[in-house]
Each structure stands twice: as C-alpha cells, then as structure tokens.
Amino acid sequence: MAHMMSFPSHTCLLIILFGFIGLTSFPVEAAIKKYQFDIQVKNVSRLCHAKPIVTVNGRFPGPTIYVREGDRVQINVTNHVKYNLSIHWHGLKQYRNGWADGPAYITQCPIQTGSSYTYDFNVTGQRGTLWWHAHILWLRATVYGAIVIMPKPGTPFPFPQPAREFEILLGEWWHKDVEEVEKQGNKMGLPPNMSDAHTINGKPGPLFPCSEKHTYAMEVEQGKTYLLRIINAALNDELFFAIAGHNMTVVEVDAVYTKPFNTEAILIAPGQTTNVLVKANKLASRYFMATRTFMDAPIPVDNKTATAIFQYKGIPNTVLPSLPSLPHLPAGNDTVFALSYNKKIRSLNSAQYPANVPLKVDRNLFLTIGLGKNSCPTCINGTRLVASLNNVTFVMPQTALLQAHYFNNKGVFRTDFPDRPSTTFNYTGAPLTANLGTSIGTRVSKVAFNSTVELVLQDTNLLSVESHPFHLHGYNFFVVGTGVGNFDPSKDPAKYNLVDPVERNTVGVPTGGWTAIRFRADNPGVWFFHCHLELHTGWGLKTAFVVEDGPGQDQSVLPPPKDLPAC
Ligand code: C2O
C-alpha cells in the first residue's frame, strides 16, 4: 500500500485515492482521522494545591485518539510551552515510518517552542488499547492520553460485545513542578522525590485531602458487561488495580488479544495496557476501584492508594461505597502474585489472530541490567546514580539517530553495542557495589532486515535487584520465557513457550530474574529500547536497534516528512 505522506492537499489526496481504487486493494472505508494537539500550560488543582502543568488542549489526562484499524491518522502538534518536546504513540508499529514514532533525539528532534509538527501514520494490523505520551524529560507526567483502535468494520471482538467501554488511565501526581523535581534529583545525583499521589483518570480519589471533587466515577447498569481499557501512565510505579466485589476477565494486553482469564486484581507496569471485561452483577451500590504500587525490591516507592468509583445507575453519590469498601489488592511486595499473574497472560493464538512466534533465531542477545554510581564531585554524596545495559550507559545524541541513519551522517552513533556482557558473574547473587567498568556512549545494535532476534534481559544485583519494564519501539515481541535467578542457556530455552506466548510491546523483567523475548526485525528504522521507568531511562537504561533496509521496494525507511523538526 502506498504511503501518502507527501501529497499536497486533502482534495488532491481524495482524487488520487479514488483514482487508485480498482488498481489497489485500498479499503474504501479507510479514513483519515485528523487531530489538533495544542501543547499548553493549564492551572490544575489537586490535593489542596493548584499548579501550572503542561497539557494537550488544556486537558488532563489529554484527549483520546479514536481510530479504526486501517485508518490513516494525522495529528498536528503545536508547541506553546517553554519546553521543546515530542509525542510518542506508544505501541504503534509505524512500519517504515519511524518519523512518526516520536522519541526525542531517537527518531526526531523535539518540536521547538512556537513550532508545529504533524505526526502522520497508518494504523495497520493492530487493534486494541494503546496510548500516547510526551517523550522527553519527565513531561509525560501530565502529557498523556489513550489511543483506542477499533477493529475493522464488521469485525467483532473475539469476546462478548460489551455494553460500553471506559478508559482508565493510571498515573502519578507531584505537588511540585515535575521538571523541578527531576532537575533537583539530577543535581544531587539521587532519585528525585517520589510522587505524592497516584491518580485514576487524573484524579486521586477521596482517600487524599481536598479530593472528594477529584474522584473519577464510572456508571454501570445492573446485569451489563463493560470493557475497561486500563493504561499504566505512571512514570515509575508498577501498579495493582482492582474493583471491590467484582472480578475482571483479562482479554487483551498491549493491543493484542489474550486467552481470557479471571482475576481479582491485575498487575500493570508503566507503558503497558490491559483490557478487562467486568460484569455489573452485584448488589446495586457504589464500589471502590483502587490502584497501588507493586515493589518487591528494597527500594522506597510511593505506596499511596488512588481510588475511583464503580457506580451502579440510580445510586446517589451520597451513598458510601459498599463494604468491604476497598478492593483486595495484593500486598505491595507480593512476588508470588506478580509471577503467577504474568504467567497467566497468553496469546489468544486463534486462526484469525495467530501467534507467529519466530522458531529459529538468527541473532542472540544477552543484556544485563545494572545500576551503579559514577563519581560526581558536585553531587550530594560525591556520586551520581546511573544505569546500564551490558555496562553501557546510553548517552543521548545532539541530533536524531533516525536522521543520522537515513542520511548516513557519521559520528552521531556507533553500531558496536555489545551482544553480551564483557564479563560473566553471578548476576543475581549477593549485592555488588562494584562498578564493573561502566562506559558511556551512544552505542546501538545493527540488525539485519527480517532477521529473527532473541533477546534475554537479565536483572543483576549491582546495587540492587529491581523489576524493570522494558519497551521496544516499532515492534511487538513474544515473551517466550521468564524466570527468577540467572538465565541458564543450557536449560532454560527448553522450557520456552513457543506456542502461545504473550505478544506485547512492554514486558517486566522480574526482580532478580530474567525475561527472554523474540521478534522478527521486519520494520526498518531506528527503534528505541528502554526501561519504561522514567527514573531509569534518565539514568541511561536504554539503547536502540538500527534495523537495516530490506532489498524490496517497500522494505526501506520512507523519506522524511517536510515538516520534520530540526535540532
Ligand atoms: Cu512509552 Cu519510549 O515509550
């Protein structure tokens, strides 16, 4: 299918489109969906304080993008704030079209204050819940929203049709300006202050002061089934979510259908989405929904509980939520729940939605995740916390990697990112404080077009073990294996699930454990790969894959759009 990025006008495009019908299989119903995103400051009051925050169109959370599979989307982003920024469409594959992906300095230079850029992309072969967020600094704390991709017309969900759908965006809230908080942490070389509240659709709920008015409620009718599209937009916290008195049926994660399973609570890492069905079949009343952090490593977190209301129609707001009033969330450090919950998530793997797991691997990568301390004379302890993959702390370039790759500009990045760590050690043994010779650099891995990659992510006890949700841009991958302790290349691959492993774009590496993923590198471009804990991304827990062009006519990176921002 031709990519029509450079056609001059809407009218002209329509004429050309109609001209092509009959010659191509371009679906008649495919539509162009246009959105205007004005990045602007808005005063928002939460927890008894008002503060200016960066928003899209003055809304918090930002507007939902509604599209259908097959649509072309054009989102004009105009930047009216003092920060240069970019927006990422998290989970959209952007085939050959990294120009629309959005991570600042990876696929584009940020949109400067006073400038605009139109993200122009096709939604192909995907349907479900994804989301968008700012992809620079910590601005995504307030600049985020849902993306809902409906299946093609006439294609039903592979589960009972819900009466209605709701988007549930989980987030974090700071009393202070988030950029000030981040700057302060960087100056000290320490983690910035943790958030002051969690939020559900931007609202913390009545367990927080001055928050009765800032409580989200969703209205349901007795006997009906609802689809909740749950998104973890928090910066640094993996979250549990549950509804008092009501079980949920998980049917989709990261815009991929799963085998349905019932659960009392879900676990969702930053970057991930989870669709659940909920049946309103209990005593008509008001019930709390709640979200709270999961953290099973000795690391302090914001463990405050945000709540919202699951409200049966006809029940007035004055009715107190039914007992037991708070839903039963697993304990904050419940590793057993986390491991068994994640194990239940499997691809639907039906004839219509098969799991095309690569069975043969062309390239094996083994990446260790490490935290460390570098010397920093001006920092509070004389050291700065850093993070690394295979002992490489990634340094952001001054210009965008995708442009450098496309125009073959030398000197911006190196393609010698190590396929494995230089030394092997007992990764998850006793805590190690040694800095294993961490080097810094803008180093990426070059991957041949259409080759299959297996990537094992190994957590280490360098400073501390911790769970890390890793996100790959431009692709979904299959999570073929996971375990606690050190990955054993002689035994663990035999236990892989190559039949119906979950397919997703963000996966947690368990605390002190490992996760193996596979994907086919069929999308040429430069694709960011990073921990979705903003804290760790900032410390350098990231790299990128340069996927080479293929030999075919439609297997190379598209030309950049005319309005691509310059650095
Ligand atoms: Cu949701 Cu690179 O991010």
Side-chain angles (χ1 to χ4, degrees):
M1 184 170 60
H3 190 90
M4 276 150 270
M5 184 166 279
S6 53
F7 287 120
S9 77
H10 200 139
T11 337
C12 179
L13 176 72
L14 282 175
I15 293 163
I16 292 164
L17 270 182
F18 284 117
F20 272 104
I21 289 168
L23 294 177
T24 71
S25 58
F26 200 91
V28 185
E29 69 275 8
I32 301 178
K33 300 269 167 71
K34 296 193 181 208
Y35 284 86
Q36 176 62 37
F37 273 27
D38 284 298
I39 311 290
Q40 50 194 219
V41 168
K42 163 107 182 178
N43 238 355
V44 167
S45 160
R46 293 287 184 275
L47 312 174
C48 320
H49 301 270
K51 67 165 186 176
I53 61 168
V54 180
T55 66
V56 168
N57 302 347
R59 294 175 52 187
F60 174 69
T64 298
I65 302 281
Y66 289 100
V67 295
R68 253 185 210 287
E69 181 181 347
D71 283 349
R72 176 178 176 189
V73 191
Q74 292 176 328
I75 303 155
N76 181 270
V77 178
T78 303
N79 183 2
H80 306 280
V81 302
K82 65 180 177 181
Y83 305 104
N84 298 339
L85 54 70
S86 63
I87 307 272
H88 169 50
W89 319 93
H90 180 119
L92 279 155
K93 290 185 192 167
Q94 309 287 12
Y95 186 63
R96 303 172 60 206
N97 187 26
W99 310 111
D101 190 38
Y105 300 108
I106 304 296
T107 58
Q108 68 166 97
C109 299
I111 306 165
Q112 316 245 324
T113 305
S115 303
S116 300
Y117 177 50
T118 299
Y119 292 90
D120 187 341
F121 53 90
N122 294 320
V123 179
T124 311
Q126 294 183 276
R127 76 298 299 167
T129 307
L130 294 170
W131 64 298
W132 56 266
H133 60 81
H135 210 304
I136 190 167
L137 306 170
W138 279 30
L139 291 172
R140 75 177 179 88
T142 57
V143 181
Y144 64 85
I147 301 175
V148 173
I149 309 170
M150 294 303 286
K152 289 188 173 164
T155 308
F157 295 130
F159 46 78
Q161 184 69 26
R164 235 196 106 176
E165 304 182 1
F166 294 92
E167 292 114 49
I168 305 280
L169 293 107
L170 312 177
E172 285 182 86
W173 181 264
W174 278 260
H175 280 307
K176 297 216 181 86
D177 182 291
V178 181
E179 285 312 316
E180 288 307 315
V181 171
E182 185 202 357
K183 251 194 252 161
Q184 186 69 19
N186 287 343
K187 211 170 118 197
M188 297 191 299
L190 294 172
N193 288 346
M194 63 181 80
S195 54
D196 298 297
H198 289 113
T199 54
I200 298 176
N201 290 342
K203 296 170 175 177
L207 303 189
F208 289 90
C210 310
S211 299
E212 297 74 20
K213 269 199 290 179
H214 299 135
T215 302
Y216 172 76
M218 57 176 274
E219 193 186 71
V220 299
E221 280 181 56
Q222 184 63 257
K224 293 195 172 164
T225 299
Y226 296 87
L227 181 68
L228 272 58
R229 299 176 177 274
I230 305 161
I231 296 164
N232 186 346
L235 273 80
N236 298 311
D237 294 337
E238 283 188 63
L239 295 166
F240 293 117
F241 173 87
I243 308 170
H246 296 72
N247 278 350
M248 297 171 279
T249 306
V250 176
V251 292
E252 181 210 301
V253 297
D254 295 7
V256 183
Y257 296 130
T258 62
K259 291 197 170 71
F261 67 93
N262 290 327
T263 188
E264 198 182 0
I266 67 156
L267 175 60
I268 183 166
Q272 295 182 328
T273 68
T274 305
N275 281 10
V276 300
L277 293 172
V278 183
K279 195 155 193 202
N281 58 359
K282 293 287 147 62
L283 175 75
S285 182
R286 300 172 81 229
Y287 295 87
F288 270 128
M289 307 191 272
T291 187
R292 192 183 57 210
T293 305
F294 164 63
M295 168 55 80
D296 62 350
I299 289 173
V301 281
D302 171 3
N303 58 8
K304 295 183 232 22
T305 306
T307 53
I309 307 284
F310 189 81
Q311 179 155 352
Y312 282 68
K313 197 174 176 173
I315 304 296
N317 289 352
T318 47
V319 171
L320 291 175
S322 292
L323 292 168
S325 60
L326 279 183
H328 179 247
L329 292 168
N333 61 355
D334 194 341
T335 307
V336 173
F337 178 92
L339 294 174
S340 78
Y341 176 82
N342 283 324
K343 221 171 156 175
K344 285 182 209 159
I345 312 175
R346 297 187 170 229
S347 285
L348 181 60
N349 192 28
S350 63
Q352 199 178 358
Y353 303 103
N356 293 316
V357 191
L359 298 179
K360 170 186 140 294
V361 172
D362 299 320
R363 177 92 174 270
N364 276 286
L365 303 174
F366 183 80
L367 306 188
T368 53
I369 300 164
L371 302 178
K373 286 178 186 170
N374 282 357
S375 131
C376 168
T378 60
C379 293
I380 223 158
N381 300 325
T383 55
R384 165 187 301 289
L385 287 164
V386 292
S388 60
L389 284 169
N390 282 354
N391 288 329
V392 179
T393 297
F394 188 87
V395 176
M396 289 309 258
Q398 307 287 310
T399 185
L401 298 183
L402 182 58
Q403 274 161 294
H405 167 63
Y406 186 84
F407 293 107
N408 208 11
N409 295 339
K410 302 279 176 236
V412 178
F413 60 85
R414 286 159 49 182
T415 53
D416 61 351
F417 189 90
D419 281 12
R420 45 196 48 78
S422 51
T423 44
T424 55
F425 56 98
N426 181 3
Y427 307 113
T428 55
L432 293 160
T433 46
N435 194 325
L436 300 178
T438 305
S439 67
I440 60 168
T442 308
R443 296 166 69 183
V444 304
S445 294
K446 196 176 230 180
V447 177
F449 179 80
N450 214 28
S451 60
T452 53
V453 179
E454 177 176 306
L455 197 163
V456 177
L457 280 157
Q458 172 71 60
D459 189 27
T460 69
N461 209 348
L462 285 160
L463 284 191
S464 173
V465 287
E466 187 172 351
S467 162
H468 298 273
F470 265 82
H471 172 45
L472 177 59
H473 289 229
Y475 290 92
N476 284 346
F477 48 73
F478 291 96
V479 184
V480 294
T482 188
V484 173
N486 298 340
F487 174 72
D488 182 344
S490 66
K491 291 205 186 90
D492 288 321
K495 294 180 232 154
Y496 283 172
N497 175 3
L498 300 175
V499 177
D500 63 352
V502 63
E503 178 186 344
R504 58 191 324 168
N505 63 55
T506 305
V507 69
V509 178
T511 301
W514 58 272
T515 291
I517 63 172
R518 284 188 185 180
F519 63 96
R520 177 176 292 279
D522 56 4
N523 188 6
V526 179
W527 304 107
F528 207 14
F529 180 63
H530 61 93
C531 179
H532 216 284
L533 305 181
E534 214 47 49
L535 185 62
H536 295 165
T537 316
W539 289 351
L541 200 51
K542 54 195 170 188
T543 181
F545 292 101
V546 174
V547 177
E548 294 172 292
D549 285 346
Q553 238 193 346
D554 48 9
Q555 294 176 336
S556 52
V557 176
L558 292 163
K562 300 238 160 30
D563 60 342
L564 186 71
C567 282

